[in-house]
Amino acid sequence: MQTNNPKSLELAPRCAWRPLFWEPVAGTGERLMVGLVHDFGGETGTARIIRDDVLDALYGKAADGVRRLLEQALQMYLAAANASSLGSVGVSMMGLHAGDLRETEVRSLTELLHVAALLYSSLANMDKLDELDEADAPQQEDVNRRFSTEVR
């Protein structure tokens, strides 16, 4: 199959990232992916992807404190990555453990978050990630029109 669209032949830019795991009960070895630190488009950033309802179920009234702890740990990873490089941020900080450095070809930050969540986390907030691409989704009226056309 050939195409005349030169954009379709371009490779997506490579993005370096590390998953960040949290061991809620120290010493058990059970780790949950709570976020990632990434270098997308030349900018370093972090994202928390663990769902709020998971933290609420695990910690009840103390979940707000856990959320603040995780956000502060993500900020520490961001500061460390900005001070050196993403490659050298493979250490544990504030209860989070950095996974192996990965490189993925993605076209958007949302696509990167989806890849990371699908690879490492069943506790990710996929709905929140999908909201970032909501503008690209067809409107319900378009879906209904297409369905009724195809059924006829």
Side-chain angles (χ1 to χ4, degrees):
M1 179 174 159
Q2 291 188 352
T3 180
N4 292 330
N5 183 359
K7 289 279 190 190
S8 65
L9 301 176
E10 291 179 14
L11 288 177
R14 295 187 70 79
C15 173
W17 60 281
R18 284 185 184 273
L20 298 175
F21 301 99
W22 180 44
E23 191 172 357
V25 180
T28 63
E30 179 182 5
R31 293 183 176 177
L32 307 173
M33 182 187 176
V34 294
L36 66 142
V37 59
H38 60 82
D39 184 7
F40 179 77
E43 287 191 35
T44 305
T46 58
R48 178 174 67 92
I49 63 172
I50 191 167
R51 296 188 324 255
D52 284 333
D53 66 318
V54 171
L55 297 176
D56 291 338
L58 288 172
Y59 292 97
K61 293 178 181 178
D64 286 336
V66 173
R67 275 188 274 281
R68 284 193 304 273
L69 172 74
L70 293 176
E71 292 299 330
Q72 183 64 35
L74 290 174
Q75 290 303 314
M76 291 288 291
Y77 272 98
L78 179 61
N82 283 329
S84 57
S85 72
L86 196 57
S88 63
V89 185
V91 298
S92 297
M93 288 188 277
M94 294 187 67
L96 297 188
H97 309 280
D100 293 333
L101 183 64
R102 311 271 318 223
E103 281 196 17
T104 306
E105 291 180 359
V106 293
R107 290 184 174 85
S108 69
L109 182 56
T110 303
E111 188 176 358
L112 171 64
L113 297 177
H114 273 124
V115 168
L118 291 172
L119 283 174
Y120 288 104
S121 179
S122 62
L123 303 174
N125 189 347
M126 298 302 283
D127 292 334
K128 181 178 178 185
L129 300 178
D130 288 337
E131 287 174 6
L132 298 175
D133 280 340
E134 196 171 272
D136 297 336
Q139 298 298 319
Q140 186 62 37
E141 295 139 5
D142 297 334
V143 173
N144 290 343
R145 188 176 329 116
R146 183 174 176 198
F147 178 75
S148 64
T149 303
E150 289 178 6
V151 169
R152 290 180 197 166

